[in-house]
Amino acid sequence: MAKAKTQFICQNCGTVHNRWAGKCDGCGEWNTIVEEDPMGGIGSGPGKTPKKGRPVTLTSLSGEIEEAPRIPTGMGELDRATGGGFVRGSAVLIGGDPGIGKSTLLMQAAAALSRKGHRVIYVSGEEAVAQVRLRAQRLHAADTDVLLAAETNVEDILATISEGKRPDLVIIDSIQTLWSDTAESAPGTVTQVRTGVQAMIRFAKQTGATMVLVGHVTKDGQIAGPRVVEHMVDAVLYFEGDRGHHYRILRTVKNRFGPTDEIGVFEMSDKGLREVANPSELFLGERNAKSPGAAVFAGMEGTRPVLVEVQALVAPTTLGTPRRAVVGWDSSRLAMILAVLEAHCGVRLGQHDVYLNVAGGYRISEPAADMAIASALVSSLAGLALPADCVYFGEVSLSGAVRPVAHTAQRLKEAEKLGFSSAVLPAASSELPKGAAGKWNEVESLPDLVARIAGSRLKARSEEAGD
Ligand code: TYD
Ligand code: MG
């Protein structure tokens, strides 16, 4: 039998290379390729004599569908992100930067489930028992029946969780510390992580226990990232947030049993994560009706509307090349809006520095924010505050036209709920709520919007002159 060849595997994306290279062709990352021995792991290739296959019964697409049995944690934001609770027998991956609060979230979930009488096992491979206990005390979870183990060996973990009554939930914190005797690579490599995760998934499928796997997002490729196992698990959630801010977002990126694009919002406090049922309040910041350059964007996160304040500062530059700095939004999208303002609206920004910030450390990814951004920019340039009770949304195209976006009614409902009585939105928006006409100002193009803001300036000036 030929000796198994070693492979070179990118620790970031899992691409297999024939020889070592400084840069991975798959993901473009540097220094992430590590030599691994594929023996025993997945992808170890055809092994010994192939076993004779057994035919399975083929079936049709129609037929009985069983609702996936779920165990809700009672933590509303977590259940929302998972689509109504953890599905029995499924594997969920929770990824995130180190220190973002994954262990905290899962300890709270474990405690909540344990209080409901579920059998929960927490396997910590990173922290010693004493450290986990300390966190549990801080989170007021120490009095629950969560079972704890500090272990990293896959075979030992499997033996432990197979013993006694079947657990309802097993938490493995983290997959990067798992190592198996059957894989020969070093712990933390793609082969080890995949082997460990595969073994855990098999346990979940066989026993019906829910397996929650924690994975650290890694930048330098020293250890394998959670990406390399995303395809194997049933659901992938990412826990995100800015270290400088308290809020955290649990974002669903894959879910075989529910919707993706959902988010759960939490706030990190000294007693653990607090659920934020109304995220808009968090991102609106302290609103000052008199300051120019602030506009409120009525956005959507999955099925949930979120109001966020965007702030712009436009000031004459002292440098040869004006500065453009963006926090919380795409900088190329800003360049596009600036170009459209110059080309179609006669707004000259070539001699101005432009700074843009999204309040609360939030990140906007929707193109619907274009109109709010443009309004904030024009407002700052004109030195004129926008009405404090108005929200903005709409996508701007390169021609200067404003395009309608989805979920108009939901955005407006959220705005009304939070005390905003008017909105600037694209003309021809469908699903406009009836009976509220007049409060919604429809604009067809970006020049329309600029004229509206500049018009209010003239009005303000004439009022000043009249005083
Ligand atoms: P942790 O859950 O250990 O992060 P991860 O598992 O993702 O690496 O959380 C780490 C941070 O959270 C740490 O910096 C301390 C902070 N923290 C609080 O602010 N309040 C708390 O109640 C707890 C338990 C942690
Ligand atoms: Mg942790």
Side-chain angles (χ1 to χ4, degrees):
M1 201 179 92
K3 192 178 172 296
K5 257 174 47 193
T6 58
Q7 292 178 330
F8 295 85
I9 306 183
C10 169
Q11 303 297 301
N12 186 48
C13 66
T15 307
V16 180
H17 301 253
N18 288 329
R19 57 192 145 77
W20 191 86
K23 184 181 177 188
C24 171
D25 306 331
C27 61
E29 289 291 322
W30 287 88
N31 282 333
T32 54
I33 295 174
V34 170
E35 180 175 358
E36 290 188 30
D37 187 340
M39 280 294 282
I42 309 158
S44 49
K48 293 132 218 145
T49 357
K51 125 178 177 241
K52 179 123 176 36
R54 170 180 62 86
V56 295
T57 343
L58 297 170
T59 179
S60 70
L61 287 176
S62 61
E64 290 262 311
I65 306 167
E66 281 172 47
E67 184 70 31
R70 291 180 183 269
I71 31 175
T73 59
M75 295 169 73
E77 296 297 299
L78 176 61
D79 290 343
R80 175 197 287 275
T82 51
F86 293 122
V87 174
R88 286 191 188 275
S90 74
V92 182
L93 174 71
I94 301 206
D97 289 330
I100 205 73
K102 302 180 293 296
S103 307
T104 308
L105 175 73
L106 291 174
M107 178 53 79
Q108 284 180 248
L113 283 173
S114 170
R115 284 203 182 96
K116 291 179 154 195
H118 295 292
R119 185 174 150 93
V120 184
I121 303 182
Y122 192 110
V123 183
S124 173
E126 285 180 352
E127 290 157 310
V129 167
Q131 279 174 293
V132 183
R133 280 188 184 149
L134 211 62
R135 176 180 304 112
Q137 271 177 15
R138 204 169 152 185
L139 300 171
H140 301 299
D143 59 337
T144 57
D145 295 328
V146 176
L147 299 162
L148 178 63
E151 184 51 62
T152 51
N153 181 271
V154 174
E155 286 73 27
D156 291 350
I157 293 174
L158 286 176
T160 313
I161 57 183
S162 311
E163 225 171 46
K165 197 171 151 261
R166 180 201 73 177
D168 294 296
L169 184 77
V170 179
I171 296 164
I172 306 287
D173 188 2
S174 67
I175 55 170
Q176 279 109 348
T177 56
L178 290 180
W179 65 279
S180 165
D181 298 323
T182 58
E184 308 225 318
S185 315
T189 52
V190 171
T191 309
Q192 281 285 8
V193 169
R194 280 194 183 154
T195 311
V197 168
Q198 181 124 71
M200 294 304 149
I201 295 176
R202 205 178 307 125
F203 176 84
K205 303 283 172 217
Q206 280 168 359
T207 62
T210 305
M211 190 63 74
V212 178
L213 306 158
V214 174
H216 291 294
V217 172
T218 56
K219 294 268 166 357
D220 51 9
Q222 288 295 307
I223 51 173
R227 300 221 72 140
V228 298
V229 296
E230 270 184 0
H231 62 284
M232 297 158 62
V233 295
D234 297 304
V236 179
L237 308 175
Y238 275 92
F239 207 34
E240 307 171 344
D242 194 297
R243 286 283 197 108
H245 290 96
H246 291 301
Y247 90 91
R248 303 279 184 268
I249 288 183
L250 187 63
R251 198 181 290 276
T252 316
V253 292
K254 163 179 169 177
N255 195 351
R256 287 187 185 148
F257 300 104
T260 50
D261 273 2
E262 273 303 353
I263 60 162
V265 184
F266 298 89
E267 194 175 9
M268 182 64 95
S269 72
D270 56 344
K271 293 196 187 60
L273 291 157
R274 196 177 64 79
E275 292 174 47
V276 180
N278 193 346
S280 299
E281 280 165 14
L282 212 59
F283 306 123
L284 277 179
E286 284 162 32
R287 311 244 315 115
N288 181 350
K290 295 240 153 47
S291 62
V296 175
F297 165 53
M300 292 294 292
E301 274 290 353
T303 56
R304 170 146 56 158
V306 184
L307 299 195
V308 208
E309 186 183 82
V310 293
Q311 304 153 355
L313 176 64
V314 178
T317 185
T318 50
L319 306 166
T321 319
R323 287 203 62 172
R324 271 93 177 85
V326 194
V327 179
W329 206 48
D330 187 11
S331 54
S332 48
R333 196 100 201 157
L334 172 69
M336 194 198 98
I337 299 288
L338 293 177
V340 176
L341 280 172
E342 292 233 3
H344 298 289
C345 312
V347 176
R348 304 261 166 262
L349 290 157
Q351 297 302 314
H352 288 81
D353 289 335
V354 175
Y355 302 91
L356 193 77
N357 180 41
V358 178
Y362 187 73
R363 256 205 84 78
I364 302 179
S365 49
E366 260 191 299
D370 290 353
M371 211 133 73
I373 307 270
S375 308
L377 291 171
V378 175
S379 153
S380 176
L381 181 70
L384 194 101
L386 297 168
D389 63 347
C390 187
V391 296
Y392 298 80
F393 60 89
E395 187 180 342
V396 172
S397 66
L398 283 178
S399 66
V402 173
R403 292 219 299 258
V405 294
H407 308 295
T408 304
Q410 260 168 298
R411 294 175 204 263
L412 291 175
K413 214 167 106 201
E414 174 79 358
E416 263 187 323
K417 204 169 91 193
L418 288 165
F420 291 84
S421 56
S422 63
V424 173
L425 69 169
S429 288
S430 52
E431 32 164 339
L432 261 189
K434 299 221 164 43
K439 286 195 289 183
W440 316 135
N441 307 299
E442 300 183 45
V443 293
E444 274 183 4
S445 64
L446 208 51
D448 263 8
L449 177 76
V450 175
R452 173 180 292 276
I453 297 172
S456 67
R457 180 185 204 183
L458 291 179
K459 218 166 82 193
R461 276 214 183 134
S462 62
E463 274 167 17
E464 265 168 35
D467 282 345

